[in-house]
Amino acid sequence: MKDITLRPTVVADLDILFQIQLDDEANYQAAFTSKDSQNKEAYLAKYTQLLDEPTVNNHTIIVDSAIAGSIAKFVIEGDAEITYWIDKKFWGQGVATTALKDLLILEKTRPIFGRVAFDNLGSQKVLENCGFIRIGTDKGFANARQTEIEEFIYRLDI
């Protein structure tokens, strides 16, 4: 069994987290990425600033002793939402589910929402395994796919 833990993200983590998010397949699955996700300077500037943002709860996911990804709560248009990014080599191993369950213990804001591309079955399963209920759909421009796609909206109340 892998030892999966969360710790507050620090600036020193950002270089590794940037490298993790460059994976083409992961970008396709995430779909709704930033316009300049390949730009390291922009990434480091954005996430360094977010580390000091009081409405954002950033954590680095550690598997055994390796950085395996990131998970965070943020606020957009007044709603608390979660986001996570797992290194592809850890997909399918319960890392995202464990990390989200752990974050939900630390982060008490409710309701909390998750959004996922309509065809990202793995991420849908993670949300459902953590008690999120699908409450609707939306459409938006997915930078990673350069087209508008449907996304599913999930909500957790407890």
Side-chain angles (χ1 to χ4, degrees):
M1 186 71 180
K2 295 185 180 301
D3 181 32
I4 302 167
T5 56
L6 300 182
R7 67 168 167 71
T9 300
V10 295
V11 172
D13 297 338
L14 297 179
D15 190 55
I16 293 170
L17 295 173
F18 173 77
Q19 295 301 321
I20 289 170
Q21 64 89 44
L22 289 175
D23 182 84
D24 289 337
E25 184 180 356
N27 270 279
Y28 184 86
Q29 287 297 320
F32 298 96
T33 58
S34 65
K35 291 177 186 171
D36 54 2
S37 63
Q38 306 293 307
N39 180 327
K40 186 174 183 178
E41 286 181 15
Y43 178 93
L44 293 176
K46 174 183 177 180
Y47 287 96
T48 298
Q49 184 178 6
L50 288 175
L51 292 178
D52 293 327
E53 171 56 50
T55 63
V56 177
N57 190 352
N58 276 302
H59 288 272
T60 297
I61 303 165
I62 308 293
V63 175
D64 297 326
S65 60
I67 292 178
S70 62
I71 190 164
K73 182 274 298 188
F74 64 100
V75 177
I76 188 165
E77 297 178 8
D79 289 330
E81 293 195 20
I82 55 97
T83 184
Y84 45 87
W85 195 289
I86 309 299
D87 188 332
K88 191 166 77 171
K89 67 185 173 189
F90 293 103
W91 288 5
Q93 300 175 37
V95 173
T97 298
T98 299
L100 182 52
K101 285 180 179 178
D102 290 351
L103 180 71
L104 291 169
I105 291 168
L106 300 170
E107 180 56 56
K108 303 296 186 191
T109 305
R110 302 293 186 275
I112 193 164
F113 296 86
R115 291 173 170 260
V116 59
F118 74 97
D119 57 354
N120 186 339
L121 301 179
S123 197
Q124 291 171 39
K125 185 175 178 184
V126 168
L127 292 170
E128 291 165 2
N129 285 343
C130 293
F132 284 75
I133 304 296
R134 191 168 124 193
I135 60 164
T137 62
D138 197 2
K139 285 197 172 187
F141 186 79
N143 286 313
R145 300 184 190 185
Q146 288 298 295
T147 191
E148 184 176 89
I149 67 167
E150 185 176 41
E151 65 180 335
F152 295 155
I153 304 167
Y154 286 82
R155 178 181 168 137
L156 179 70
D157 289 315
I158 347 178

